Amino acid sequence: MAIPTESARVNPSIVDLVGNTPLIRLRRIERAVPGVELYAKAEWQNPGGSVKDRPALRMIQEGLSSGQLAPGRVILDATSGNTGIAYAMMGAALGFKVELCLPENVTPERKRILRAYGAGLTFTDPLEGSDGAIRMAQRTHESNPAKYFYADQYNNDFNWKAHYDTTGPEIIRQVGARLTHFVAGLGTSGTFVGAGRRLREFNEEIVLASVQPDSPLHGLEGLKHMESAMVPGIYDATLADEDVRVGTEEAYEMTRRLAQEEGLLVGISSGANLAGALKVAGKDAVVVVVFCDGGERYLSERFWEDPPEGASICGTN
Ligand code: PMP
């Protein structure tokens, strides 16, 4: 017997819960800059736990409607983890097998989540980063094109279009004409390019700031150092007004502060994006920063083991 409940609460599938994430004001962190308002776009609230639910769903939907994703085909892609989790969750919900190529050094939590959803995993050399995973996915697809739906998030326009059609309009509804800055990190660049294009059309004065690691070897999982990496086909380097560099230690520090000062346990790229936002947002700015995923996926990272002396904020209110 069906559970009697308000119909608005009953969803046909987990995929119906993607998007419409809240904004959260960062009242303690924003004290550093007079008059600034900082808002986190809480993307970990998506059902798969990250911003990547949006493009994964859109690429799958477009694959289904074009016929490239047909029953019996396997969803294939390279991923640093979050897109893979989104594919794996949606594949399970929609009845498709999923095969993923990912660097061996992604956190054990991610590997476990992916296996829990039943995805097939091929690990690539950590020293090759996400580029090694991309090359592996390309080879796997070429070996048997009829078997796979190769979503190819780095080159698939429906990646950025997902953000153009959902993330961007949500931010406009949530903040409207007061918005002065939008800040997002670059992985595939889909979030920054898609939401950024939409916001630029809404108001060409909005400052669009992209965030990248400050060196090729970094600990900012999910972000790419574009100069030394394979540049995604969907990346548009002309869009950003500011292209901010953030160091791994700075991002770790900000991630710890978010947990301890705002009660937000988020991923390292969220800390990186916020550190980047503070470099560009001056007095009286109204800033939206994308917080891509939650912190529970990173609890095995060493920087959580020994918070530095004095990290406690007891007594600061
Ligand atoms: N942060 C994290 C944790 C991610 O997994 C990703 C996706 N690789 C990003 C940021 C960057 O998002 P995008 O691919 O849309 O540039």
Side-chain angles (χ1 to χ4, degrees), residues 51-52 80 82-83 110 153 159 163 185-192 221-223 269 292-293 298:
V51 68
K52 303 303 298 200
S80 63
N82 280 329
T83 317
R110 276 165 207 255
Q153 58 165 332
N159 175 349
H163 296 286
L186 300 175
T188 64
S189 78
T191 311
F192 178 75
E221 195 163 316
L223 301 189
S269 73
C292 316
D293 63 0
Y298 304 86

PDB file of all heavy atoms in Angstrom, residues 51-52 80 82-83 110 153 159 163 185-192 221-223 269 292-293 298, ligand 1:
ATOM      1  N   VAL A  51      27.921  18.961  -6.641  1.00  0.00           N
ATOM      2  CA  VAL A  51      27.512  19.790  -7.772  1.00  0.00           C
ATOM      3  C   VAL A  51      27.403  18.968  -9.066  1.00  0.00           C
ATOM      4  O   VAL A  51      26.681  19.331  -9.985  1.00  0.00           O
ATOM      5  CB  VAL A  51      28.540  20.951  -7.937  1.00  0.00           C
ATOM      6  CG1 VAL A  51      29.907  20.420  -8.385  1.00  0.00           C
ATOM      7  CG2 VAL A  51      28.058  22.049  -8.853  1.00  0.00           C
ATOM      8  N   LYS A  52      28.113  17.830  -9.109  1.00  0.00           N
ATOM      9  CA  LYS A  52      28.182  17.075 -10.359  1.00  0.00           C
ATOM     10  C   LYS A  52      26.918  16.287 -10.684  1.00  0.00           C
ATOM     11  O   LYS A  52      26.782  15.757 -11.778  1.00  0.00           O
ATOM     12  CB  LYS A  52      29.406  16.149 -10.350  1.00  0.00           C
ATOM     13  CG  LYS A  52      30.720  16.850 -10.131  1.00  0.00           C
ATOM     14  CD  LYS A  52      31.031  17.962 -11.137  1.00  0.00           C
ATOM     15  CE  LYS A  52      31.138  17.470 -12.545  1.00  0.00           C
ATOM     16  NZ  LYS A  52      31.904  18.437 -13.394  1.00  0.00           N
ATOM     17  N   SER A  80      37.119  12.465 -11.349  1.00  0.00           N
ATOM     18  CA  SER A  80      37.944  12.502 -10.139  1.00  0.00           C
ATOM     19  C   SER A  80      37.129  12.029  -8.950  1.00  0.00           C
ATOM     20  O   SER A  80      37.582  12.053  -7.820  1.00  0.00           O
ATOM     21  CB  SER A  80      38.473  13.911  -9.904  1.00  0.00           C
ATOM     22  OG  SER A  80      37.396  14.791  -9.687  1.00  0.00           O
ATOM     23  N   ASN A  82      33.440  12.789  -8.020  1.00  0.00           N
ATOM     24  CA  ASN A  82      32.066  13.235  -7.809  1.00  0.00           C
ATOM     25  C   ASN A  82      31.149  12.969  -9.000  1.00  0.00           C
ATOM     26  O   ASN A  82      29.993  12.573  -8.815  1.00  0.00           O
ATOM     27  CB  ASN A  82      32.033  14.723  -7.464  1.00  0.00           C
ATOM     28  CG  ASN A  82      32.366  14.963  -6.004  1.00  0.00           C
ATOM     29  OD1 ASN A  82      32.083  14.129  -5.155  1.00  0.00           O
ATOM     30  ND2 ASN A  82      32.977  16.098  -5.713  1.00  0.00           N
ATOM     31  N   THR A  83      31.632  13.201 -10.216  1.00  0.00           N
ATOM     32  CA  THR A  83      30.772  12.899 -11.367  1.00  0.00           C
ATOM     33  C   THR A  83      30.500  11.402 -11.408  1.00  0.00           C
ATOM     34  O   THR A  83      29.402  10.963 -11.746  1.00  0.00           O
ATOM     35  CB  THR A  83      31.425  13.340 -12.692  1.00  0.00           C
ATOM     36  OG1 THR A  83      32.003  14.615 -12.505  1.00  0.00           O
ATOM     37  CG2 THR A  83      30.409  13.390 -13.812  1.00  0.00           C
ATOM     38  N   ARG A 110      35.521   7.773  -1.496  1.00  0.00           N
ATOM     39  CA  ARG A 110      34.908   7.813  -2.834  1.00  0.00           C
ATOM     40  C   ARG A 110      34.862   6.434  -3.462  1.00  0.00           C
ATOM     41  O   ARG A 110      33.866   6.042  -4.063  1.00  0.00           O
ATOM     42  CB  ARG A 110      35.712   8.719  -3.759  1.00  0.00           C
ATOM     43  CG  ARG A 110      35.330  10.137  -3.620  1.00  0.00           C
ATOM     44  CD  ARG A 110      36.382  10.992  -4.271  1.00  0.00           C
ATOM     45  NE  ARG A 110      36.318  12.261  -3.591  1.00  0.00           N
ATOM     46  CZ  ARG A 110      35.773  13.353  -4.111  1.00  0.00           C
ATOM     47  NH1 ARG A 110      35.356  13.358  -5.327  1.00  0.00           N
ATOM     48  NH2 ARG A 110      35.702  14.447  -3.428  1.00  0.00           N
ATOM     49  N   GLN A 153      32.560  14.140 -20.019  1.00  0.00           N
ATOM     50  CA  GLN A 153      32.179  15.392 -19.347  1.00  0.00           C
ATOM     51  C   GLN A 153      33.093  16.572 -19.669  1.00  0.00           C
ATOM     52  O   GLN A 153      32.682  17.722 -19.571  1.00  0.00           O
ATOM     53  CB  GLN A 153      32.129  15.188 -17.836  1.00  0.00           C
ATOM     54  CG  GLN A 153      33.436  14.716 -17.219  1.00  0.00           C
ATOM     55  CD  GLN A 153      33.451  14.883 -15.703  1.00  0.00           C
ATOM     56  OE1 GLN A 153      32.792  15.751 -15.151  1.00  0.00           O
ATOM     57  NE2 GLN A 153      34.208  14.044 -15.020  1.00  0.00           N
ATOM     58  N   ASN A 159      27.314  19.467 -20.172  1.00  0.00           N
ATOM     59  CA  ASN A 159      27.898  19.711 -18.848  1.00  0.00           C
ATOM     60  C   ASN A 159      27.671  21.176 -18.471  1.00  0.00           C
ATOM     61  O   ASN A 159      26.990  21.492 -17.501  1.00  0.00           O
ATOM     62  CB  ASN A 159      29.383  19.322 -18.891  1.00  0.00           C
ATOM     63  CG  ASN A 159      30.146  19.644 -17.601  1.00  0.00           C
ATOM     64  OD1 ASN A 159      29.666  20.344 -16.716  1.00  0.00           O
ATOM     65  ND2 ASN A 159      31.364  19.150 -17.490  1.00  0.00           N
ATOM     66  N   HIS A 163      24.448  23.829 -15.952  1.00  0.00           N
ATOM     67  CA  HIS A 163      24.612  24.956 -15.026  1.00  0.00           C
ATOM     68  C   HIS A 163      24.003  26.240 -15.584  1.00  0.00           C
ATOM     69  O   HIS A 163      23.508  27.074 -14.838  1.00  0.00           O
ATOM     70  CB  HIS A 163      26.094  25.164 -14.718  1.00  0.00           C
ATOM     71  CG  HIS A 163      26.692  24.000 -13.995  1.00  0.00           C
ATOM     72  ND1 HIS A 163      26.443  23.753 -12.675  1.00  0.00           N
ATOM     73  CD2 HIS A 163      27.484  22.985 -14.422  1.00  0.00           C
ATOM     74  CE1 HIS A 163      27.082  22.654 -12.302  1.00  0.00           C
ATOM     75  NE2 HIS A 163      27.720  22.174 -13.347  1.00  0.00           N
ATOM     76  N   GLY A 185      35.418  27.080  -8.760  1.00  0.00           N
ATOM     77  CA  GLY A 185      36.677  26.451  -9.159  1.00  0.00           C
ATOM     78  C   GLY A 185      36.550  25.783 -10.514  1.00  0.00           C
ATOM     79  O   GLY A 185      35.446  25.488 -10.977  1.00  0.00           O
ATOM     80  N   LEU A 186      37.727  25.532 -11.127  1.00  0.00           N
ATOM     81  CA  LEU A 186      37.756  24.906 -12.451  1.00  0.00           C
ATOM     82  C   LEU A 186      38.191  23.446 -12.354  1.00  0.00           C
ATOM     83  O   LEU A 186      39.315  23.155 -11.955  1.00  0.00           O
ATOM     84  CB  LEU A 186      38.738  25.644 -13.360  1.00  0.00           C
ATOM     85  CG  LEU A 186      38.449  27.120 -13.628  1.00  0.00           C
ATOM     86  CD1 LEU A 186      39.588  27.721 -14.459  1.00  0.00           C
ATOM     87  CD2 LEU A 186      37.111  27.290 -14.339  1.00  0.00           C
ATOM     88  N   GLY A 187      37.276  22.557 -12.706  1.00  0.00           N
ATOM     89  CA  GLY A 187      37.643  21.147 -12.875  1.00  0.00           C
ATOM     90  C   GLY A 187      37.447  20.857 -14.353  1.00  0.00           C
ATOM     91  O   GLY A 187      38.322  21.120 -15.182  1.00  0.00           O
ATOM     92  N   THR A 188      36.259  20.381 -14.721  1.00  0.00           N
ATOM     93  CA  THR A 188      35.916  20.367 -16.153  1.00  0.00           C
ATOM     94  C   THR A 188      35.648  21.796 -16.624  1.00  0.00           C
ATOM     95  O   THR A 188      35.630  22.069 -17.808  1.00  0.00           O
ATOM     96  CB  THR A 188      34.632  19.552 -16.412  1.00  0.00           C
ATOM     97  OG1 THR A 188      33.526  20.202 -15.764  1.00  0.00           O
ATOM     98  CG2 THR A 188      34.768  18.125 -15.903  1.00  0.00           C
ATOM     99  N   SER A 189      35.366  22.679 -15.695  1.00  0.00           N
ATOM    100  CA  SER A 189      34.974  24.090 -15.888  1.00  0.00           C
ATOM    101  C   SER A 189      33.472  24.253 -16.147  1.00  0.00           C
ATOM    102  O   SER A 189      33.016  25.387 -16.338  1.00  0.00           O
ATOM    103  CB  SER A 189      35.784  24.804 -16.992  1.00  0.00           C
ATOM    104  OG  SER A 189      35.321  24.451 -18.275  1.00  0.00           O
ATOM    105  N   GLY A 190      32.714  23.173 -16.131  1.00  0.00           N
ATOM    106  CA  GLY A 190      31.280  23.254 -16.440  1.00  0.00           C
ATOM    107  C   GLY A 190      30.520  24.206 -15.530  1.00  0.00           C
ATOM    108  O   GLY A 190      29.687  24.986 -16.003  1.00  0.00           O
ATOM    109  N   THR A 191      30.801  24.162 -14.219  1.00  0.00           N
ATOM    110  CA  THR A 191      30.070  25.017 -13.283  1.00  0.00           C
ATOM    111  C   THR A 191      30.357  26.486 -13.581  1.00  0.00           C
ATOM    112  O   THR A 191      29.436  27.301 -13.721  1.00  0.00           O
ATOM    113  CB  THR A 191      30.498  24.722 -11.821  1.00  0.00           C
ATOM    114  OG1 THR A 191      30.456  23.320 -11.593  1.00  0.00           O
ATOM    115  CG2 THR A 191      29.606  25.447 -10.833  1.00  0.00           C
ATOM    116  N   PHE A 192      31.655  26.818 -13.690  1.00  0.00           N
ATOM    117  CA  PHE A 192      32.029  28.217 -13.890  1.00  0.00           C
ATOM    118  C   PHE A 192      31.518  28.732 -15.244  1.00  0.00           C
ATOM    119  O   PHE A 192      30.925  29.816 -15.326  1.00  0.00           O
ATOM    120  CB  PHE A 192      33.556  28.377 -13.798  1.00  0.00           C
ATOM    121  CG  PHE A 192      33.983  29.784 -14.035  1.00  0.00           C
ATOM    122  CD1 PHE A 192      33.800  30.749 -13.061  1.00  0.00           C
ATOM    123  CD2 PHE A 192      34.535  30.161 -15.250  1.00  0.00           C
ATOM    124  CE1 PHE A 192      34.150  32.070 -13.290  1.00  0.00           C
ATOM    125  CE2 PHE A 192      34.885  31.479 -15.489  1.00  0.00           C
ATOM    126  CZ  PHE A 192      34.697  32.438 -14.500  1.00  0.00           C
ATOM    127  N   GLU A 221      41.416  18.415  -4.590  1.00  0.00           N
ATOM    128  CA  GLU A 221      40.720  17.378  -5.355  1.00  0.00           C
ATOM    129  C   GLU A 221      39.516  17.968  -6.088  1.00  0.00           C
ATOM    130  O   GLU A 221      38.717  18.695  -5.508  1.00  0.00           O
ATOM    131  CB  GLU A 221      40.266  16.267  -4.402  1.00  0.00           C
ATOM    132  CG  GLU A 221      39.881  15.010  -5.155  1.00  0.00           C
ATOM    133  CD  GLU A 221      39.818  13.787  -4.250  1.00  0.00           C
ATOM    134  OE1 GLU A 221      40.714  13.589  -3.418  1.00  0.00           O
ATOM    135  OE2 GLU A 221      38.849  13.028  -4.402  1.00  0.00           O
ATOM    136  N   GLY A 222      39.442  17.663  -7.383  1.00  0.00           N
ATOM    137  CA  GLY A 222      38.334  18.178  -8.196  1.00  0.00           C
ATOM    138  C   GLY A 222      38.719  19.380  -9.034  1.00  0.00           C
ATOM    139  O   GLY A 222      38.032  19.701  -9.999  1.00  0.00           O
ATOM    140  N   LEU A 223      39.834  20.053  -8.676  1.00  0.00           N
ATOM    141  CA  LEU A 223      40.250  21.236  -9.438  1.00  0.00           C
ATOM    142  C   LEU A 223      41.457  20.915 -10.313  1.00  0.00           C
ATOM    143  O   LEU A 223      42.265  20.049  -9.990  1.00  0.00           O
ATOM    144  CB  LEU A 223      40.594  22.398  -8.495  1.00  0.00           C
ATOM    145  CG  LEU A 223      39.474  22.874  -7.569  1.00  0.00           C
ATOM    146  CD1 LEU A 223      39.884  24.168  -6.864  1.00  0.00           C
ATOM    147  CD2 LEU A 223      38.166  23.083  -8.325  1.00  0.00           C
ATOM    148  N   SER A 269      37.777  21.728  -2.137  1.00  0.00           N
ATOM    149  CA  SER A 269      37.599  22.734  -3.202  1.00  0.00           C
ATOM    150  C   SER A 269      36.670  23.851  -2.747  1.00  0.00           C
ATOM    151  O   SER A 269      36.765  24.973  -3.245  1.00  0.00           O
ATOM    152  CB  SER A 269      37.106  22.093  -4.506  1.00  0.00           C
ATOM    153  OG  SER A 269      35.756  21.716  -4.420  1.00  0.00           O
ATOM    154  N   CYS A 292      31.223  22.783  -3.583  1.00  0.00           N
ATOM    155  CA  CYS A 292      30.935  21.687  -4.517  1.00  0.00           C
ATOM    156  C   CYS A 292      30.493  20.397  -3.853  1.00  0.00           C
ATOM    157  O   CYS A 292      29.675  19.667  -4.407  1.00  0.00           O
ATOM    158  CB  CYS A 292      32.169  21.399  -5.354  1.00  0.00           C
ATOM    159  SG  CYS A 292      32.934  22.900  -5.943  1.00  0.00           S
ATOM    160  N   ASP A 293      31.081  20.076  -2.706  1.00  0.00           N
ATOM    161  CA  ASP A 293      30.702  18.806  -2.064  1.00  0.00           C
ATOM    162  C   ASP A 293      30.922  18.883  -0.554  1.00  0.00           C
ATOM    163  O   ASP A 293      31.428  19.886  -0.036  1.00  0.00           O
ATOM    164  CB  ASP A 293      31.421  17.598  -2.701  1.00  0.00           C
ATOM    165  CG  ASP A 293      32.930  17.628  -2.546  1.00  0.00           C
ATOM    166  OD1 ASP A 293      33.468  18.587  -1.937  1.00  0.00           O
ATOM    167  OD2 ASP A 293      33.586  16.687  -3.027  1.00  0.00           O
ATOM    168  N   TYR A 298      36.188  13.351   2.666  1.00  0.00           N
ATOM    169  CA  TYR A 298      37.623  13.664   2.803  1.00  0.00           C
ATOM    170  C   TYR A 298      38.136  13.401   4.218  1.00  0.00           C
ATOM    171  O   TYR A 298      39.216  13.850   4.556  1.00  0.00           O
ATOM    172  CB  TYR A 298      37.871  15.143   2.466  1.00  0.00           C
ATOM    173  CG  TYR A 298      37.391  15.549   1.100  1.00  0.00           C
ATOM    174  CD1 TYR A 298      36.077  15.946   0.890  1.00  0.00           C
ATOM    175  CD2 TYR A 298      38.256  15.517  -0.001  1.00  0.00           C
ATOM    176  CE1 TYR A 298      35.633  16.312  -0.370  1.00  0.00           C
ATOM    177  CE2 TYR A 298      37.818  15.894  -1.252  1.00  0.00           C
ATOM    178  CZ  TYR A 298      36.499  16.283  -1.428  1.00  0.00           C
ATOM    179  OH  TYR A 298      36.072  16.653  -2.673  1.00  0.00           O
TER     180      TYR A 298
HETATM  181  N1  PMP B   1      35.165  20.557  -6.726  1.00  0.00           N
HETATM  182  C1  PMP B   1      34.985  19.244  -6.683  1.00  0.00           C
HETATM  183  C2  PMP B   1      35.096  18.550  -5.364  1.00  0.00           C
HETATM  184  C3  PMP B   1      34.706  18.527  -7.853  1.00  0.00           C
HETATM  185  O1  PMP B   1      34.533  17.204  -7.802  1.00  0.00           O
HETATM  186  C4  PMP B   1      34.645  19.223  -9.082  1.00  0.00           C
HETATM  187  C5  PMP B   1      34.394  18.463 -10.358  1.00  0.00           C
HETATM  188  N2  PMP B   1      35.590  17.921 -10.882  1.00  0.00           N
HETATM  189  C6  PMP B   1      34.849  20.602  -9.093  1.00  0.00           C
HETATM  190  C7  PMP B   1      35.097  21.233  -7.892  1.00  0.00           C
HETATM  191  C8  PMP B   1      34.841  21.412 -10.362  1.00  0.00           C
HETATM  192  O2  PMP B   1      33.603  21.442 -11.020  1.00  0.00           O
HETATM  193  P1  PMP B   1      33.553  21.546 -12.600  1.00  0.00           P
HETATM  194  O3  PMP B   1      33.886  20.201 -13.161  1.00  0.00           O
HETATM  195  O4  PMP B   1      32.136  21.938 -12.898  1.00  0.00           O
HETATM  196  O5  PMP B   1      34.536  22.571 -13.040  1.00  0.00           O
END
